[in-house]
Amino acid sequence: MSDVTSLPYFHGNINKRNCEVLFSENGKDGSYLVRESETIPNALCLSVYFQRTVYTYRIFQNHQGRFMVQTGYGVKEKFFKSLADLTAYYKKPGKGLMIHLRYPLERSKTKEVDKDNDYEEVDDADYVEVLPE
């Protein structure tokens, strides 16, 4: 995952609450960032801001190093060589996210939030799945 950490919109080990604070201070519809999952080791989260709500999609990396966003039942999984390729795909409208990715929330352009990395309890209801195109 070393290529992931070099991406300007990768925020690392921030929890959901701090992610929401970043969006409330800096976000506009279509803003997004990637962070580490609080609940699944080695998984990532794509967090997307739309109408004052943060939608979180799980990202997994398979044994071949390809990335995919968790999809709903009956939705074909799409695999990408890199996280940059994945985000480029979801920048196009109508690809199944609540809103297409428009504005990367870069860590260098956001104020530091309280980095108390104590994870709060998060369950599957906090995540959304990609819808059919």
Side-chain angles (χ1 to χ4, degrees):
M1 274 207 237
S2 61
D3 65 323
V4 172
T5 59
S6 66
L7 295 172
Y9 49 85
F10 178 70
H11 286 253
N13 187 16
I14 65 168
N15 63 30
K16 180 183 175 199
R17 182 182 35 165
N18 289 341
C19 176
E20 290 170 345
V21 169
L22 286 174
F23 279 118
S24 69
E25 294 174 351
N26 304 287
K28 46 190 168 184
D29 286 354
S31 295
Y32 67 96
L33 62 81
V34 175
R35 63 184 175 87
E36 294 176 13
S37 173
E38 296 176 71
T39 56
I40 300 177
N42 300 315
L44 300 170
C45 295
L46 172 62
S47 297
V48 183
Y49 187 76
F50 180 62
Q51 295 184 348
R52 296 176 27 193
T53 302
V54 178
Y55 295 88
T56 304
Y57 302 87
R58 282 190 178 124
I59 300 174
F60 296 102
Q61 192 172 17
N62 68 12
H63 64 282
Q64 297 171 323
R66 299 199 178 257
F67 293 90
M68 52 110 17
V69 175
Q70 183 177 22
T71 60
Y73 179 76
V75 177
K76 185 175 173 144
E77 296 174 334
K78 293 185 181 358
F79 292 88
F80 303 90
K81 287 187 345 184
S82 69
L83 190 57
D85 290 343
L86 182 148
T87 55
Y89 176 81
Y90 287 106
K91 286 179 181 179
K92 300 171 192 149
K95 297 300 180 187
L97 301 183
M98 188 56 70
I99 186 172
H100 62 283
L101 306 180
R102 298 180 66 194
Y103 310 105
L105 198 57
E106 297 180 8
R107 68 182 167 268
S108 62
K109 294 182 181 174
T110 58
K111 289 192 305 187
E112 282 292 313
V113 294
D114 176 20
K115 292 251 180 179
D116 120 19
N117 286 321
D118 295 330
Y119 287 118
E120 58 190 67
E121 288 299 312
V122 179
D123 62 29
D124 282 341
D126 290 327
Y127 294 87
V128 292
E129 296 176 336
V130 173
L131 301 173
E133 294 178 20

